[in-house]
Amino acid sequence: MNKPIFFTAGPSQLHPIIPDAVQKALDTQIGSISHRSAPFQELFSETRNMLKTLLQIPQEYEIFLLSSATEAWERVVENTVERETFHLVNGAFSQKFAEAAEHMGKTVQTHKAPDGKGFSASDIEVPKTAELIGIVQNESATGVAVEPDLIHSLKRTFPEKLIAVDIVSSAPYAKLDYSHIDMAFFSVQKGFGVPAGIAFLVVSPLAIDKAKHLAENRKAPVNYHNFQALQKYSAKNQTPETPNVFHLFLMHEVLQAMLKKGIQTIRKETDEKADKLYSFFEHSKIYQPFVREAKDRSPTVIMIKTADPAEIIKTAKEHGFMLSTGYGPYKKDHIRIANFPSHESDQVDKLIKILHNYEHETAHKKTSES
Ligand SMILES: *Cc1c(COP(=O)(O)O)cnc(C)c1O
């Protein structure tokens, strides 16, 4: 049998250029270069520049290399918040972001929406004392995406507060206006199709200033990934520690391929594949999109309610397609399907066909049993 295709929510299918990139990394001995050498500086600088171009991040923003999005939750809070954060929570990942702030000893307030629902700007009351608003733009546990405009409007209403956005399962698709965002972060094993092990944190000048102010007043911890250390090395196109150079190189190669394709094409293809999947599920008798309102549906993580996920996942696997179960309490009656740039349109068609045949066969079985 052919290698399976991972339509899992993350880690997910690797980008098609990864095998060549791995070979190139070995050929060029990238795993042995010093992180203080010119070749590393060039690699790091080019990678960050390509990210800025792909996502249209303002030139004056910093991009730091971290080890995971989980780390980013902590670094963001630790470096830029003295006392209080405010979070939009509508699922397990946005909840975890809020809990990370709690574990860092901050006062945490939340605005909650039920699982599967989005937020409406008029319902959100941001506490005056909150220094940072934490948002998970794409809630991977439920398949809800937050409208970028809602995020931008929060910045317009509260320009002095820091807006921190988790884009782990929506980057590079999410079309954000970074002039209205202070921090955004993602790990690479979802939408970028790179093996897990690194993450990027985008930081605005306002957030850098806040971190500097807290550090000068000894209100931020001194550790190797504090913003001052990251910024000091960043100025030299370096990192404080010996980083995961190998995966940084793979990311460099993926970004090159993505820029060649163009972000508009990537977004358009993602929308087209999402439309195919959602319209199939909407017309099905055994699968229902968990998110009722079309405007709240994530194009990149699609959650489906269905009676027998284990059987469906098993059937798809037999055909070479890996799917995810629901997350946490949704495990027993939901599946999740990722729709990232590494998932090709004809693979989506094949997956739909398999799910369609499964539905057809179960209906047939039921009729012959009764
Ligand atoms: C997967 C995921 C994370 C965690 O990413 P790690 O790389 O495992 O730290 C955080 N937020 C969201 C929305 C995710 O989907």
Side-chain angles (χ1 to χ4, degrees), residues 68-70 73 93 136 138 140 166 168-169 187 189-190:
S68 68
T70 303
W73 289 336
F93 286 93
V136 173
N138 199 71
S140 318
D166 176 325
V168 179
S169 60
S187 37
Q189 71 273 19
K190 299 184 187 181

Side-chain angles (χ1 to χ4, degrees), residues 303 306 309-310 313 325-336:
M303 173 136 144
T306 188
I313 288 170
T325 61
Y327 194 89
Y330 298 105
K331 249 192 171 81
K332 61 184 189 310
D333 49 3
H334 291 79
I335 56 171
R336 286 174 306 152

Side-chain angles (χ1 to χ4, degrees), residues 61-124:
Y61 279 41
E62 287 282 359
I63 298 181
F64 297 144
L65 182 66
L66 302 180
S67 65
S68 68
T70 303
E71 188 196 358
W73 289 336
E74 291 188 357
R75 295 295 89 83
V76 160
V77 170
E78 182 176 80
N79 282 278
T80 67
V81 179
E82 184 182 349
R83 284 181 306 265
E84 188 175 334
T85 65
F86 175 70
H87 298 256
L88 301 188
V89 172
N90 64 342
F93 286 93
S94 38
Q95 179 69 33
K96 281 191 194 182
F97 188 5
E99 281 166 10
E102 235 164 57
H103 295 154
M104 311 253 97
K106 310 303 173 191
T107 301
V108 175
Q109 302 205 49
T110 57
H111 170 80
K112 292 198 171 165
D115 288 359
K117 297 254 163 50
F119 302 98
S120 81
S122 54
D123 295 345
I124 302 171

